[in-house]
Every structure is written in C-alpha cells, then in structure tokens.
Amino acid sequence: MITGMPRIAVAMHDFDACVDRFRTEFGMPVVDMSPGSVESLGAKLAMCVPEGGSNIELMSPANPDAPLSQSLSRFLERRGEGLFALMLEAPDPDEEAKGLGDRGLNVLPLMAGASGRDLHPNSTHGVLIRVYPVNSFSGATAPSTSGLSGIMRVVVAVRDLGHARRVYQTGFGLACDPEREDAARGVRGFICRPPTGGVIEFVSPIDGEREFAREVAGFLDEREGLYALILHAEADR
C-alpha cells in the first residue's frame, strides 16, 4: 500500500550552486546530506524541507562507478538538468514492488545500495518512480524565509489520460478524482491524492489557443513525464 509522496527529486550538474540557490534565492531550509551520501550512494544529496506538501530532493552525480551516480549522469546527458524522479513510500518496498509487477508495471531490479525500488518510466508515462520505506527521510520541516511551501502539486503531462488513470489508480492504488476540463488552461486532467504529501495532477492539452496547453503540447512533442512543481507562497510575501 502506498502511504505517501515524500518528495520529488531534481538532478543538476553543479550541486553546491543549486543548494545555495534554494537557500538564498528561494529562502528554503535545506539539509545537506552529501558527506554521507557520496560515501554510501556515490551521489550528492540535499533535501529542501519547507512546511507543507512534499520535499524537494537535490541530486548530483559524484562517483562514476556508483549505480545512482550513473543513473543521474545518463539523465543529465539525455535531458539536461531538471525533474528526475517521483518518490513514493510503502511499508515494505520489496513487497510493494512485487504487487506492482503483478499488476503489469515494469519494476526494475534492486539497485545496489538502494533502500527503495524503481519503476521504469516506460510503464508510468515517462515518470521514474522510486518506492521507499515509510519515513525514508526523518529530517524535520521548517519555515522558509521566503514563505514558500513544499510541493503542493506535481504536474505530469500525458497523452492518454485514461491509461494514466489505470496505472496510478489501479496500479498504485492511489485515490483519483474524476476527469475534468480546465477551460482557462486549455487542458483536461485529473488529480491523484497520495495519503500524505502533495497531490499529482495529470494533464493533456485540448485547446491550442491557451498558453498553458500550448506549452504542455510542446513538451509532449518530445516525451511524457514530470512537467512542473507547484508551490504555495504566503500572500504577504
């Protein structure tokens, strides 16, 4: 059973510059875990932990011999910096992975040194998904100096909403709202609601006269997948 969406991972080349940007320009509390993560996983990791929603994990390759570092490097070479993976949690990731595989999702072999299980993007509409144990990160949230929240909504661009619903509602067992048309943005979509963390919005363009729909359509010309992160800001900031 999926119990939450703890974070979304972002991949970048310059780890130190990115950590500094999230701290100073975005005013977010950031926990730098890189001293231990380079040794254990071969990658530099940091966690943005503002209050509300899901966390933002910053990831950068460090050890070219480590599987996680290799995965990050391939992503950066192929797509450049950006949204890398969507994390979910379950009490027993290995047992969850077995059930997901039985329901037709492409579960990858256990990565060396990893505590979670990966699902190939070819079965999840272009989204690399990692299922970790519950409370996989124990750091406390904190207020951001800019008033920004954590991730309240992650937007996933897809071509086939019906199939996406079957994957995430039936495959992952997530509660999903009915499809609806958003005339202002020119898209049709639906929202999936993990028990904790932010929500996942799936969108598909229907009106090319709307700017948002045009942008999503341009993205879909290349691929499906993670499109945007939505944060909230305090009204007086």
Side-chain angles (χ1 to χ4, degrees), residues 5 8 86 151-156 199-201 226 228-229:
M5 183 176 73
I8 305 293
L86 184 155
I151 301 164
M152 305 308 294
R153 179 161 41 107
V154 56
V155 180
V156 180
V199 303
I200 309 169
E201 181 184 19
L226 296 170
L229 304 181

Side-chain angles (χ1 to χ4, degrees), residues 133-191:
V134 175
N135 297 323
S136 55
F137 174 74
S138 57
T141 61
S144 62
T145 58
S146 63
L148 287 174
S149 71
I151 301 164
M152 305 308 294
R153 179 161 41 107
V154 56
V155 180
V156 180
V158 301
R159 301 184 183 96
D160 187 336
L161 287 169
H163 187 266
R165 175 182 288 277
R166 289 193 292 276
V167 168
Y168 286 84
Q169 181 172 272
T170 304
F172 287 99
L174 297 175
C176 295
D177 294 350
E179 277 189 30
R180 68 178 185 88
E181 185 174 315
D182 184 340
R185 294 189 298 166
V187 297
R188 188 169 180 82
F190 65 93
I191 288 176

Side-chain angles (χ1 to χ4, degrees), residues 2 4-6 86-90 129-132 172 174 194 200:
I2 299 298
M5 183 176 73
L86 184 155
M87 278 59 168
L88 299 174
E89 289 183 332
I129 293 180
R130 294 186 158 159
V131 181
Y132 282 94
F172 287 99
L174 297 175
I200 309 169

Side-chain angles (χ1 to χ4, degrees), residues 10-42:
V10 180
M12 76 287 304
H13 292 290
D14 191 332
F15 178 80
D16 293 335
C18 190
V19 168
D20 182 66
R21 181 173 301 114
F22 273 81
R23 278 179 174 160
T24 61
E25 296 180 26
F26 295 153
M28 287 190 174
V30 180
V31 179
D32 185 352
M33 304 177 290
S34 57
S37 67
V38 170
E39 181 179 352
S40 61
L41 297 172

Side-chain angles (χ1 to χ4, degrees), residues 65-107:
D65 296 324
L68 176 56
S69 184
Q70 292 169 357
S71 178
L72 287 164
S73 293
R74 288 193 298 269
F75 176 88
L76 290 166
E77 291 169 4
R78 186 172 65 252
R79 295 189 180 181
E81 297 180 309
L83 301 177
F84 174 64
L86 184 155
M87 278 59 168
L88 299 174
E89 289 183 332
D92 185 336
D94 288 324
E95 186 65 25
E96 188 70 25
K98 181 180 183 300
L100 293 170
D102 291 342
R103 292 191 288 275
L105 298 178
N106 186 0
V107 179

